[in-house]
């Protein structure tokens, strides 16, 4: 485990060093602002993050500090710590600053210039690639070595997507999808530099993470894996699912095969899509409904989501909430004999900065939404069910070559968090053994240059018109959370 920081390796010193070596601004390095003094809870000195300096996502409210909600237009000084911040303090963490987020966490990309801000976080893998969203600041700050652990949140992929975009693991813990008229698909968590630090951040022990290379196979129930590379989500008007980069399909298939070498894994078998694409429109309505109260001014995508949300009736949202409540049972019926499902994390390498927002800027926010959905068509299922999920980069990131990440999603509570992380650690070790000394093999698990989102085939085909479904957005990615100023809890606006 990483030792506590010393003054010589404080976040401030690391940030200064990285700024000098890269020439990038704090915002380009993922840091929205640093606090004049750390926020700590002296009574939590023995917590799992005791002595660890972390950044807080810029959707949360820290007493006396500015919260920007991803936009200078909404910056305000917090009167009190919100519930998420109180929990972070209870872990013993030292809160030293805020990380950049997309506006209200409503998009899978983070481009502050769209809402009157400066430059967004620069992807260290390739500056031409998007760093994802909405927790992109957290991901970039960790990838740059400014902090080892950063707070993040995930309402549809917002931890897992940006982590994958910069070549880091991303874990969304199991969470309760709260009931009521608007179920909340958001989980609070962290992005950390590696799987062992991820386990530490969440206080996870066992599963062979720190004490042994594998769990004891004699004392554990065998695990059954399912695998698919067919997208779950997209426009119901399409003739079929959107596409996946064939390099990612091949790497995911190889990863599933390598997981069989884990002593607890009994085998891997193909699984079908858990529900028809049309079902996703109901879930999308729920995401849009959560954006209905976002305040002006808004960037193009959050504004479109809000407008879609305000058009929904009470019966619309009730139907969406009911569909979400039934989802876990329906998925478990579709996947009755698997414990973990393996899919790609992203359908192509991170596309160029501006690839999504250009669609909104050209007057087609519905296409922007569909493009985001096509890029991240798997992760949201685990937000809507509340089940744990992990994205795993198969090889270390290298400049100019994006490492393919796969997604390991628990089915119900059939595996615990420690086991899921142990599977991820085993997979990384197995790939490392396979590619050791073989550059050609290593390249099979990477993609050069930005991805081509147009090649995913997200544009509708029926009658040539766009079927602009009102979902929060393809991720949630939250991706993010739709959180308005004055709210004490973030609400993910995305559905990935």
């Amino acid at each position: 485990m990483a030792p506590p920081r010393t003054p010589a390796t404080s976040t401030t010193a690391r940030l200064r060093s990285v700024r000098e070596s890269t020439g990038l601004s704090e915002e380009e390095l993922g840091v929205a602002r640093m606090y004049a003094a750390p926020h700590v809870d002296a009574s939590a000195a023995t917590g799992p993050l005791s002595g660890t300096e972390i950044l807080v996502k810029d959707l949360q409210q820290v007493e006396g500090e500015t919260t920007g909600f991803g936009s200078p237009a909404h910056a305000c000084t917090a009167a009190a710590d919100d519930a998420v911040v109180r929990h972070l303090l209870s872990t013993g963490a030292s809160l030293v600053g805020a990380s950049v987020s997309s506006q209200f966490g409503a998009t899978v990309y983070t481009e502050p210039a769209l809402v009157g801000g400066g430059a967004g976080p620069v992807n260290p893998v390739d500056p031409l690639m998007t760093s994802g969203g909405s927790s992109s600041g957290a991901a970039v700050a960790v990838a740059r070595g400014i902090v080892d652990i950063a707070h993040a949140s995930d309402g549809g992929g917002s931890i897992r997507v940006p982590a994958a975009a910069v070549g880091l693991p991303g874990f969304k813990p199991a969470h309760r999808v709260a009931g009521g008229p608007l179920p909340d698909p958001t989980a609070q968590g962290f992005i950390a530099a590696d799987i062992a630090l991820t386990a530490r951040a969440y206080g996870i022990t066992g599963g062979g993470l720190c004490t042994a290379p594998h769990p004891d196979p004699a004392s554990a129930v065998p695990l059954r894996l399912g695998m698919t590379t067919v997208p779950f989500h997209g426009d119901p008007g399409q003739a079929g699912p959107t596409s996946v980069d064939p390099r990612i399909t091949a790497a995911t298939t190889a990863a599933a095969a390598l997981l069989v070498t884990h002593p607890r894994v009994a085998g891997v078998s193909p699984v079908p899509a858990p529900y028809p694409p049309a079902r996703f429109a109901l879930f999308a309505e729920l995401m849009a409904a959560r954006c209905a109260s976002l305040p002006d001014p808004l960037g193009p995508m959050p504004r479109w989501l809000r407008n879609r949300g305000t058009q929904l009736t009470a019966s619309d949202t009730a139907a969406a909430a009911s569909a979400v409540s039934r989802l876990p049972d329906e998925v478990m019926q579709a996947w009755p004999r698997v414990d973990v499902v393996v899919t790609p994390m992203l359908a192509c390498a991170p596309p160029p900065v501006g690839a999504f927002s250009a669609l909104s800027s050209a007057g087609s926010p519905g296409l922007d939404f569909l493009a985001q959905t096509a890029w991240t068509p798997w992760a949201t299922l685990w937000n809507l069910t509340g089940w744990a999920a992990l994205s795993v980069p198969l090889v270390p990131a290298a400049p100019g070559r994006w490492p393919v990440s796969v997604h390991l999603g628990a089915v119900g509570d059939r595996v615990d968090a420690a086991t899921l992380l142990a599977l991820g650690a085993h997979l990384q070790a197995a790939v490392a053994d396979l590619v050791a000394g073989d550059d050609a093999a290593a390249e099979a698990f990477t993609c050069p240059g930005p991805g081509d989102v147009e090649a995913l085939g997200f544009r509708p085909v029926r009658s040539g018109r766009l079927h602009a479904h009102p979902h929060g957005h393809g991720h949630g990615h939250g991706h993010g959370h739709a959180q308005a100023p004055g709210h004490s809890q973030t609400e993910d606006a995305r559905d990935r």
Side-chain angles (χ1 to χ4, degrees):
M1 300 300 181
R5 295 267 177 83
T6 66
T9 59
S10 68
T11 301
T12 300
R14 291 189 183 193
L15 177 59
R16 183 186 307 113
S17 176
V18 178
R19 286 195 65 183
E20 291 173 352
S21 64
T22 63
L24 297 175
S25 68
E26 291 188 2
E27 189 173 57
E28 289 171 324
L29 296 173
V31 180
R33 67 193 64 85
M34 293 293 295
Y35 302 149
H39 291 251
V40 297
D41 179 354
S43 67
T46 60
L49 292 181
S50 178
T52 303
E53 295 183 355
I54 72 168
L55 297 174
V56 180
K57 190 171 179 178
D58 192 32
L59 301 181
Q60 304 307 141
Q61 299 190 57
V62 179
E63 183 178 0
E65 304 291 355
T66 297
T67 299
F69 303 95
S71 170
H74 296 290
C76 61
T77 300
D81 295 332
D82 65 27
V84 171
V85 170
R86 291 195 298 271
H87 172 74
L88 291 172
L89 291 170
S90 75
T91 69
S94 177
L95 312 185
V96 297
S99 64
V100 175
S101 169
S102 60
Q103 190 181 38
F104 297 110
T107 53
V108 68
Y109 52 85
T110 305
E111 298 177 17
L114 295 173
V115 291
V122 175
N123 193 325
V125 176
D126 184 336
L128 298 178
M129 293 179 176
T130 181
S131 56
S134 61
S135 302
S136 57
V140 169
V142 172
R144 297 277 185 182
I146 295 166
V147 288
D148 297 328
I149 298 169
H151 163 256
S153 53
D154 191 317
S158 279
I159 289 174
R160 292 160 288 163
V161 170
V166 303
L168 295 174
F171 179 68
K172 183 204 74 68
H175 69 286
R176 180 175 178 270
V177 181
L182 287 178
D184 188 353
T186 303
Q188 299 294 329
F190 304 92
I191 295 175
D194 55 38
I195 289 179
L197 276 171
T198 299
R200 178 192 169 203
Y202 288 95
I204 298 168
T205 59
L209 283 166
C210 302
T211 59
H214 309 297
D216 179 1
S219 63
V221 176
L223 298 175
R224 303 156 301 174
L225 306 186
M227 193 276 289
T228 183
T229 59
V230 177
F232 298 158
H233 300 152
D235 176 28
Q238 292 282 11
T242 52
S243 299
V244 180
D245 187 316
R247 292 167 295 193
I248 291 177
T249 296
T252 303
T253 302
L258 287 171
L259 279 167
V260 177
T261 65
H262 191 288
R264 273 193 66 186
V265 173
V268 58
S269 58
V271 293
Y275 38 68
R279 183 73 55 81
F280 185 64
L282 288 173
F283 308 146
E285 290 179 351
L286 172 64
M287 299 303 121
R290 296 184 67 81
C291 293
S293 62
L294 291 180
D296 286 319
L298 291 173
M301 193 72 238
R303 183 170 60 248
W304 182 78
L305 293 171
R306 182 187 64 185
N307 292 344
R308 301 297 299 182
T310 58
Q311 295 170 15
L312 297 173
T313 67
S315 61
D316 291 334
T317 56
S322 177
V324 170
S325 70
R326 297 192 303 270
L327 182 65
D329 287 342
E330 292 179 2
V331 177
M332 293 185 77
Q333 290 175 15
W335 296 338
R337 291 179 291 278
V338 295
D339 304 300
V340 176
V341 169
V342 183
T343 69
M345 182 63 228
L346 303 172
C348 69
V353 174
F356 299 113
S357 61
L359 297 169
S360 283
S361 298
S364 298
L367 279 180
D368 181 355
F369 174 77
L370 293 180
Q372 293 177 67
T373 302
W375 189 43
T376 62
W378 298 281
T380 306
L381 181 153
W382 280 268
N383 292 91
L384 296 170
T385 59
W387 301 339
L390 172 70
S391 64
V392 185
L394 298 178
V395 293
R401 295 197 69 90
W402 177 72
V404 174
S405 283
V406 300
H407 188 267
L408 308 180
V411 180
D413 59 359
R414 297 171 184 172
V415 297
D416 60 15
T419 299
L420 205 60
L421 289 171
L423 285 173
H426 177 86
L427 177 57
Q428 288 186 324
V431 173
D433 288 343
L434 179 66
V435 305
D438 186 342
D439 292 341
E443 288 184 1
F445 294 99
T446 65
C447 295
D452 181 3
V453 73
E454 288 289 341
L456 303 182
F458 63 87
R459 293 177 181 271
V461 297
R462 285 194 306 191
S463 302
R465 65 184 285 267
L466 171 65
H467 298 271
H469 304 295
H471 21 343
H473 88 106
H475 289 305
H477 328 296
H479 323 201
H481 306 63
Q483 175 181 328
H487 292 189
S488 63
Q489 304 265 356
T490 60
E491 300 173 17
D492 199 318
R494 313 164 59 162
D495 65 332
R496 304 285 191 243

